[in-house]
């Protein structure tokens, strides 16, 4: 139950961040905007449906958490790669590293919890 609530809260936060990041001009939407919007919709639908049980809901939630993990890892790698070119400590790469690391930890915990929900995948973790 705790994993499902945590997943729902993450999905709600992702929907709010995605909705806030969309451009006001619909002619300026890029492929990344469309992709993250579709993932956010699938994730929130899967997170709600996960309370009623269902393998497809679990897959939708895992898609959202996996996307969050991948984008957080990308943020960490980009911040680490660009750190030597920083001219000033306030360039923001340290903040990117901190935020990306927090995203990796949060999404890693959510992925671990989602895998533990499926008894056939959890194995000896119980």
């Amino acid at each position: 139950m705790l994993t499902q609530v945590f997943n729902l809260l993450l999905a709600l936060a992702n929907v709010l961040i995605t909705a806030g990041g969309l451009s006001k001009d619909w002619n300026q939407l890029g492929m990344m905007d469309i992709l993250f919007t579709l993932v956010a919709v699938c994730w929130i639908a899967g997170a709600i449906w996960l309370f009623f049980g269902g393998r497809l809901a679990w897959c939708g939630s895992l898609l959202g958490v996996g996307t969050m993990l991948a984008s957080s890892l990308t943020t960490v790698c980009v911040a680490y790669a660009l750190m030597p070119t920083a001219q000033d400590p306030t360039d923001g790469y340290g903040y990117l590293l901190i935020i990306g690391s927090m995203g990796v930890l949060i999404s890693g915990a959510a992925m671990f919890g989602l895998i533990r929900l499926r008894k056939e995948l959890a194995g000896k973790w119980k």
Side-chain angles (χ1 to χ4, degrees):
M1 183 70 167
L2 183 65
T3 300
Q4 295 165 339
V5 172
F6 184 60
N7 183 34
L8 182 63
L9 290 176
L10 278 179
L12 284 172
N14 187 29
V15 165
L16 291 175
I17 290 170
T18 303
L22 288 177
S23 175
K24 300 296 181 208
D25 187 12
W26 292 102
N27 294 328
Q28 299 295 327
L29 286 179
M31 287 302 293
M32 292 298 288
D33 294 330
I34 295 170
L35 177 70
F36 279 113
T37 303
L38 289 173
V39 168
V41 168
C42 289
W43 190 5
I44 193 72
I48 292 170
W49 193 13
L50 195 61
F51 283 101
F52 305 108
R55 191 170 299 231
L56 192 58
W58 180 79
C59 290
S61 294
L62 201 62
L63 170 76
V65 171
T67 304
M68 181 180 172
L69 181 65
S71 55
S72 297
L73 279 174
T74 303
T75 303
V76 168
C77 291
V78 165
Y80 186 72
L82 293 177
M83 192 72 77
T85 64
Q87 301 295 322
D88 188 12
T90 61
D91 276 345
Y93 298 121
Y95 297 122
L96 277 178
L97 201 59
I98 292 169
I99 290 171
S101 299
M102 287 175 54
V104 167
L105 290 174
I106 290 171
S107 59
M111 186 168 286
F112 180 75
L114 283 172
I115 291 175
R116 284 195 57 178
L117 282 179
R118 303 268 17 128
K119 292 175 181 47
E120 64 268 9
L121 292 177
K124 297 180 180 180
W125 288 357
K126 292 241 175 192

